[in-house]
Amino acid sequence: VAAQFLQRFPESALFCDEVGLGKTIETGLVLRQLLLSGQVRRALILAPKSVLRQWQEELYEKFNLMIPRYDSGKFLDVDDQLYRCANSYTGDEVANPWDACDLLLAGSQLAKRNDRRSQILAARPWDLVIVDEAHHARRKDFKERIYRPNQLLSLLNELKENHKASTFLLMTATPMQVHPLEVWDLLNVTGLSGRWAASEDAFLAFFEELRRPFPDADWDFIFDMVQD
């Protein structure tokens, strides 16, 4: 999967392996290669705060990537020591913390806050935005078919719409345990096109037709979607 993503970069992707099958390792391989090749110079990794340090340790131990984590208003290295970023300093103060380091780990709960979202959108664009546990970016009520994205999904949409992220790499271990519309929302962030992106109705209808008895399925519609 990592190799396929590298071959198609800068297209965005959704990694949905089950728990324990190595999404973090796949992502580390991707990030390391893109940095070495110079295709990515600026990357933001958003993950739940509970696994933020684990991410930092994995990237350091397995890929020799020292990526600071932004925690409690400070930039910390893997040894929990203050990390001095190269960019955007005025004396010892950071003008915009999201501009301070070209490579940065941050909590998704922090990033989605309104005050932080405005800072992120005001920062320089990222070549790559990685989101762990991406299923937390979802609409508030998908059963009523009203599109009301939560704060994290709104952030991703705004990064895309404002050209603040060239490429997204979203990660979730629960693609089969959520409503199909939640998957459609995430795929839209990665850049769906054609009939798949035209409306959520076509996306849902495709899977509904596949569940019908063979003689009853609308195969013309199914084949059109597959061709697209």
Side-chain angles (χ1 to χ4, degrees):
V1 175
Q4 290 174 356
F5 179 75
L6 286 168
Q7 290 170 0
R8 300 180 66 175
F9 186 83
E11 292 184 12
S12 298
L14 176 64
F15 281 14
C16 0
D17 293 332
E18 290 288 352
V19 174
L21 292 185
K23 290 185 299 301
T24 305
I25 301 301
E26 288 176 339
T27 302
L29 289 168
V30 165
L31 181 58
R32 178 69 174 170
Q33 181 58 35
L34 290 174
L35 290 170
L36 287 174
S37 66
Q39 292 175 279
V40 164
R41 298 184 182 278
R42 187 163 156 79
L44 173 65
I45 303 172
L46 298 178
K49 185 174 182 179
S50 59
V51 297
L52 207 56
R53 182 177 172 80
Q54 178 184 336
W55 260 93
Q56 190 178 37
E57 291 174 347
E58 292 271 345
L59 291 173
Y60 180 69
E61 294 171 1
K62 294 183 171 63
F63 303 102
N64 195 30
L65 291 174
M66 172 59 81
I67 299 181
R69 73 182 192 274
Y70 187 43
D71 193 358
S72 302
K74 301 176 182 178
F75 300 97
L76 302 174
D77 64 19
V78 72
D79 296 317
D80 287 333
Q81 301 300 307
L82 289 177
Y83 185 93
R84 185 174 178 83
C85 297
N87 303 323
S88 299
Y89 267 80
T90 305
D92 289 325
E93 297 298 323
V94 182
N96 184 336
W98 306 94
D99 265 338
C101 299
D102 285 336
L103 301 178
L104 185 62
L105 273 159
S108 49
Q109 296 97 327
L110 173 69
K112 70 183 183 181
R113 282 170 33 185
N114 288 331
D115 57 333
R116 297 300 184 174
R117 278 169 57 189
S118 60
Q119 289 179 333
I120 292 172
L121 293 170
R124 291 177 294 118
W126 280 273
D127 302 314
L128 176 65
V129 172
I130 297 169
V131 183
D132 190 19
E133 304 289 343
H135 53 273
H136 290 155
R138 58 192 305 198
R139 58 179 78 183
K140 296 177 182 178
D141 187 356
F142 57 85
K143 293 181 180 179
E144 293 185 10
R145 302 287 295 277
I146 299 173
Y147 186 71
R148 292 188 299 152
N150 66 8
Q151 289 180 307
L152 183 56
L153 183 54
S154 292
L155 171 62
L156 300 184
N157 287 336
E158 289 179 289
L159 286 170
K160 178 183 177 183
E161 292 163 4
N162 290 281
H163 308 289
K164 288 294 185 176
S166 300
T167 305
F168 291 91
L169 202 170
L170 310 181
M171 306 163 58
T172 174
T174 60
M176 307 305 294
Q177 300 172 31
V178 296
H179 193 279
L181 285 182
E182 296 180 80
V183 180
W184 186 73
D185 289 337
L186 291 179
L187 290 174
N188 261 338
V189 172
T190 68
L192 276 181
S193 60
R195 296 177 182 88
W196 294 96
S199 75
E200 59 191 35
D201 295 323
F203 185 86
L204 291 175
F206 176 78
F207 298 103
E208 289 170 358
E209 290 299 325
L210 287 180
R211 286 196 293 268
R212 295 183 185 276
F214 189 89
D216 300 333
D218 185 348
W219 289 104
D220 288 338
F221 169 75
I222 291 172
F223 289 144
D224 284 343
M225 293 291 285
V226 170
Q227 186 179 37
D228 207 16

